[in-house]
Amino acid sequence: MSQFEHPDRLRPEREVTVDDVRQLMGASTPHFALQLRERIRRLIRGLPADHPARVEGEREIARLESIAFHGEVRGTPEQPGMRTLASVDDAA
């Protein structure tokens, strides 16, 4: 995933909406979480703290950071052959 953003979404005169944030969130997986976080961060930059799109964006940024660092889980000890990878679990 690139850092490319749809040009219309970042026009200064265009009002950022919650739907804009949700469109970016739709593709959120651990693999792309940090790239999406940056795109959302850029989108909501400059919005007032109480703006609905900023509130939604900050909530999504927190979720993306969580899945980026803790998102890959490969089973439990009860599931043989499905060990959690060491890269996402210090105990593995």
Side-chain angles (χ1 to χ4, degrees), residues 28-64:
S28 57
T29 65
H31 185 76
F32 296 118
L34 297 179
Q35 290 92 337
L36 290 169
R37 176 193 67 183
E38 292 308 308
R39 290 174 71 185
I40 292 171
R41 194 175 275 160
R42 189 176 327 121
L43 181 67
I44 65 174
R45 183 183 310 141
L47 294 177
D50 62 344
H51 191 285
R54 183 169 193 136
V55 171
E56 183 74 10
E58 288 176 351
R59 185 176 332 163
E60 182 60 12
I61 286 170
R63 187 184 75 80
L64 289 167

Side-chain angles (χ1 to χ4, degrees), residues 13-26:
E13 69 278 1
R14 186 176 176 281
E15 176 71 23
V16 176
T17 67
V18 171
D19 193 48
D20 291 326
V21 175
R22 290 183 178 156
Q23 286 176 12
L24 290 172
M25 293 166 27

